[in-house]
mmCIF file of all heavy atoms in Angstrom:
data_model
loop_
_atom_site.group_PDB
_atom_site.id
_atom_site.type_symbol
_atom_site.label_atom_id
_atom_site.label_comp_id
_atom_site.label_asym_id
_atom_site.label_seq_id
_atom_site.Cartn_x
_atom_site.Cartn_y
_atom_site.Cartn_z
ATOM 1 N N VAL G 691 33.067 132.147 145.669
ATOM 2 C CA VAL G 691 33.658 133.255 144.926
ATOM 3 C C VAL G 691 32.598 134.359 144.681
ATOM 4 O O VAL G 691 32.904 135.538 144.849
ATOM 5 C CB VAL G 691 34.235 132.762 143.579
ATOM 6 C CG1 VAL G 691 34.649 133.917 142.673
ATOM 7 C CG2 VAL G 691 35.410 131.817 143.822
ATOM 8 N N ALA G 692 31.409 133.948 144.354
ATOM 9 C CA ALA G 692 30.344 134.924 144.142
ATOM 10 C C ALA G 692 30.052 135.667 145.449
ATOM 11 O O ALA G 692 29.865 136.914 145.446
ATOM 12 C CB ALA G 692 29.081 134.258 143.620
ATOM 13 N N GLU G 693 29.993 134.946 146.555
ATOM 14 C CA GLU G 693 29.761 135.602 147.847
ATOM 15 C C GLU G 693 30.838 136.613 148.160
ATOM 16 O O GLU G 693 30.540 137.738 148.571
ATOM 17 C CB GLU G 693 29.693 134.543 148.974
ATOM 18 C CG GLU G 693 29.348 135.127 150.321
ATOM 19 C CD GLU G 693 29.221 134.088 151.432
ATOM 20 O OE1 GLU G 693 28.942 132.902 151.126
ATOM 21 O OE2 GLU G 693 29.377 134.487 152.588
ATOM 22 N N ALA G 694 32.086 136.263 147.914
ATOM 23 C CA ALA G 694 33.177 137.180 148.187
ATOM 24 C C ALA G 694 33.117 138.396 147.223
ATOM 25 O O ALA G 694 33.334 139.547 147.662
ATOM 26 C CB ALA G 694 34.506 136.469 148.003
ATOM 27 N N ALA G 695 32.787 138.185 145.965
ATOM 28 C CA ALA G 695 32.689 139.280 145.005
ATOM 29 C C ALA G 695 31.565 140.225 145.359
ATOM 30 O O ALA G 695 31.717 141.428 145.348
ATOM 31 C CB ALA G 695 32.489 138.724 143.590
ATOM 32 N N PHE G 696 30.408 139.664 145.692
ATOM 33 C CA PHE G 696 29.270 140.517 146.077
ATOM 34 C C PHE G 696 29.562 141.250 147.368
ATOM 35 O O PHE G 696 29.159 142.389 147.555
ATOM 36 C CB PHE G 696 27.981 139.669 146.230
ATOM 37 C CG PHE G 696 27.399 139.178 144.958
ATOM 38 C CD1 PHE G 696 26.868 137.923 144.850
ATOM 39 C CD2 PHE G 696 27.357 139.994 143.809
ATOM 40 C CE1 PHE G 696 26.315 137.457 143.667
ATOM 41 C CE2 PHE G 696 26.835 139.547 142.631
ATOM 42 C CZ PHE G 696 26.285 138.271 142.540
ATOM 43 N N ALA G 697 30.279 140.595 148.282
ATOM 44 C CA ALA G 697 30.607 141.228 149.569
ATOM 45 C C ALA G 697 31.524 142.421 149.370
ATOM 46 O O ALA G 697 31.338 143.448 150.006
ATOM 47 C CB ALA G 697 31.267 140.213 150.510
ATOM 48 N N THR G 698 32.477 142.332 148.467
ATOM 49 C CA THR G 698 33.438 143.428 148.277
ATOM 50 C C THR G 698 32.936 144.478 147.281
ATOM 51 O O THR G 698 33.198 145.642 147.442
ATOM 52 C CB THR G 698 34.812 142.903 147.832
ATOM 53 O OG1 THR G 698 34.674 142.155 146.625
ATOM 54 C CG2 THR G 698 35.457 142.056 148.904
ATOM 55 N N LYS G 699 32.239 144.040 146.267
ATOM 56 C CA LYS G 699 31.829 144.963 145.182
ATOM 57 C C LYS G 699 30.356 145.347 145.213
ATOM 58 O O LYS G 699 29.954 146.247 144.503
ATOM 59 C CB LYS G 699 32.143 144.341 143.822
ATOM 60 C CG LYS G 699 33.598 144.018 143.585
ATOM 61 C CD LYS G 699 34.354 145.279 143.236
ATOM 62 C CE LYS G 699 35.757 144.910 142.796
ATOM 63 N NZ LYS G 699 36.528 146.062 142.372
ATOM 64 N N GLY G 700 29.529 144.593 145.947
ATOM 65 C CA GLY G 700 28.108 144.847 145.955
ATOM 66 C C GLY G 700 27.418 144.017 144.915
ATOM 67 O O GLY G 700 28.033 143.263 144.124
ATOM 68 N N LEU G 701 26.098 144.188 144.839
ATOM 69 C CA LEU G 701 25.288 143.358 143.945
ATOM 70 C C LEU G 701 25.461 143.709 142.484
ATOM 71 O O LEU G 701 25.024 142.944 141.620
ATOM 72 C CB LEU G 701 23.810 143.461 144.352
ATOM 73 C CG LEU G 701 23.491 143.010 145.761
ATOM 74 C CD1 LEU G 701 22.027 143.193 146.077
ATOM 75 C CD2 LEU G 701 23.865 141.546 145.957
ATOM 76 N N ALA G 702 26.110 144.809 142.170
ATOM 77 C CA ALA G 702 26.276 145.242 140.790
ATOM 78 C C ALA G 702 27.457 144.561 140.105
ATOM 79 O O ALA G 702 27.655 144.738 138.889
ATOM 80 C CB ALA G 702 26.438 146.760 140.720
ATOM 81 N N VAL G 703 28.234 143.771 140.813
ATOM 82 C CA VAL G 703 29.378 143.110 140.185
ATOM 83 C C VAL G 703 28.900 142.228 139.027
ATOM 84 O O VAL G 703 27.946 141.485 139.171
ATOM 85 C CB VAL G 703 30.209 142.310 141.223
ATOM 86 C CG1 VAL G 703 29.465 141.123 141.769
ATOM 87 C CG2 VAL G 703 31.512 141.825 140.621
ATOM 88 N N PRO G 704 29.567 142.342 137.873
ATOM 89 C CA PRO G 704 29.111 141.548 136.694
ATOM 90 C C PRO G 704 29.432 140.069 136.839
ATOM 91 O O PRO G 704 30.378 139.685 137.477
ATOM 92 C CB PRO G 704 29.895 142.164 135.540
ATOM 93 C CG PRO G 704 30.692 143.293 136.072
ATOM 94 C CD PRO G 704 30.630 143.245 137.562
ATOM 95 N N ILE G 705 28.605 139.279 136.230
ATOM 96 C CA ILE G 705 28.816 137.798 136.201
ATOM 97 C C ILE G 705 30.199 137.482 135.605
ATOM 98 O O ILE G 705 30.872 136.579 136.091
ATOM 99 C CB ILE G 705 27.710 137.086 135.397
ATOM 100 C CG1 ILE G 705 26.356 137.201 136.112
ATOM 101 C CG2 ILE G 705 28.057 135.641 135.108
ATOM 102 C CD1 ILE G 705 26.289 136.411 137.400
#
Side-chain angles (χ1 to χ4, degrees):
V691 171
E693 184 177 336
F696 288 140
T698 57
K699 299 283 188 175
L701 299 177
V703 66
I705 292 292

